[in-house]
Amino acid sequence: MRARWISVALAAVTAVALTACGSDTADTATTAPTGGSSSAAGASGPITVFAAASLTGAFTQIGKDFEAANPGTTVTFSFAGSSALATQINQGAPADVFASAAPANMKTVTDAGNADGTPQNFVKNQLVIAVPKGNPKNIATLADLAKPGVKVALCAPQVPCGAAAQKALQSANVTVTPVTQEQDVKAALSKVTLGEVDAALVYRTDAKAAASDVEGIEFPESANAINEYPIVVLKNGPNKAGGQAFVTYVLSAPAQKVLTDAGFQTP
Amino acid sequence: MRSRRAPLVLLVPALLGLLFLVLPLVGLLYRAPWTTLPERLTEPGILNALKLSLLTATLATAGCLVLGVPLAWLLARVKFPGRRVVRALVTVPLVLPPVVGGVALLLVFGRRGLIGEWLDSAFGITLPFTTAGVVLAEAFVAMPFLIIAVEGALRGADARYEEAAATLGAGRWTTFTHVTLPLVAPGVAAGAVLCWARALGEFGATITFAGNFPGKTQTMPLAVYLALETDLQAAIVLSLLLLFVSVVVLASLRDKWIASP
């Protein structure tokens, strides 16, 4: 009983916080209840969404839009690394939806029998080379990262952005010795923002979000290392109908526009 | 001898507290892959991280001794304006989130940092992403532990011995090395061990300031964090190793505390 009270209180607090800080944009672009027939039907109450950290910006907006389109619902997010979220879900965390940044982390959840239905890919993300504003080392291609005197940060091969970076570098036949292998994409990006490295391989969405400090350089080999983002409703979530409505909404046109505006690509 | 029977009101929460602190460690032991432990421990990645951790923690402690003992002496024995403020500043890294410490170090010693930019242009030295950077990050976080321990020992030590040495003609330096230091040696040792243990477990400042590169800046705590991404078993093995080292260190520290006056 007490646990439920706490979660209700948390949801309420989060809802207040979200509406308080989102009053500027939320009202203008969001009054299109597309997919209303499917989502409005059973959607009510609090919905808990576990989502990859890279979705933070876009999903916060989508959550607000969803709440506007489905009165009576409140969406609470837990943003973290996909593997940490997958572990939490498999350990019994009460979430309704899981949006992962990589199929591998989704697989740990489906393998454990915690998914309700088949995960659907809703966006994909591609790597770009992030360089400090002005591109002081004149980096134009992936091969430039291997030049002497160029300090590069990559994600560690254990995390999804690192695995993607390895794939891209391999397909380009370029060997880069990074000065550091960061634990997530944001850490790699911040090393560029701080000017400690000359370049890093990060997701396009991250480079776009940091556009005031870094430039993102597209490179053709990134096509060989595309990251798919799957989403699924969870079996043990307390609000499955709400979770299903949210997943449907994420796949709808208005949500997809928010995601592409953030730099994601449609699958 | 006082009564040995503790009142239940104290005993129950005390035991619960003990359980709360020890249970996670038991969990680690319980889930450890004991059968494959020997081969996992000898994996080159693990050994590299362990070696680097031991080396950097030791170097950081040495640096802290050289700088921290005089600073502790200054705080304990010399009256100067603003001493309270200095004491507060010295202990800031204790409560500062280590990641914040790492960011602060980057802003000063980074390639674009206040001092780092000059180091780079004048000497070609860059500290981030180097083993020296790891030592720096660990020393920043661990030094307050040493200073607090040594300052406490100095305050507890009887200053009359120092005065006696001075009246017998010993210079200030001789007094410090021949009277003061031996007097507070147990405190210094305890502080050094605590400092070493803290440096060994440092994570946030290290990964922020020195980055993560196997063999160069990847210490044990960083290796644990990354192992969690792929292989829970490997993470448990690494954690177990760190736990073992920490317990050994803290157990020896306990004796030092008891030995000190």
Side-chain angles (χ1 to χ4, degrees), chain A residues 238-266:
Chain A
N239 187 358
K240 240 197 259 184
Q244 186 55 57
F246 183 79
V247 170
T248 308
Y249 186 81
V250 166
L251 293 163
S252 74
Q256 289 284 314
K257 185 176 182 309
V258 173
L259 286 159
T260 46
D261 284 350
F264 289 102
Q265 291 148 295
T266 45

Side-chain angles (χ1 to χ4, degrees), chain A residues 30-152:
Chain A
T30 60
T31 34
T34 325
S37 54
S38 59
S39 64
S44 65
I47 303 163
T48 310
V49 178
F50 278 23
S54 48
L55 293 165
T56 306
F59 261 36
T60 305
Q61 179 63 45
I62 288 172
K64 273 183 244 159
D65 297 354
F66 177 82
E67 285 170 3
N70 297 275
T73 59
T74 47
V75 185
T76 311
F77 291 106
S78 171
F79 294 111
S82 299
S83 59
L85 291 172
T87 308
Q88 287 171 14
I89 290 166
N90 286 344
Q91 298 295 328
D96 300 306
V97 175
F98 178 39
S100 167
N105 305 116
M106 180 56 85
K107 193 167 174 293
T108 46
V109 170
T110 50
D111 283 355
N114 287 324
D116 188 33
T118 317
Q120 279 178 282
N121 292 338
F122 65 103
V123 278
K124 53 190 184 180
N125 213 347
Q126 218 158 317
L127 291 175
V128 297
I129 307 169
V131 297
K133 263 260 154 359
N135 194 0
K137 296 270 172 167
N138 292 318
I139 285 156
T141 66
L142 211 50
D144 290 341
L145 301 186
K147 279 198 217 158
V150 176
K151 287 194 174 181
V152 180

Side-chain angles (χ1 to χ4, degrees), chain A residues 5-21 67 74-76:
Chain A
W5 271 112
I6 292 170
S7 63
V8 167
L10 272 178
V13 169
T14 320
V16 168
L18 281 177
T19 41
C21 61
E67 285 170 3
T74 47
V75 185
T76 311

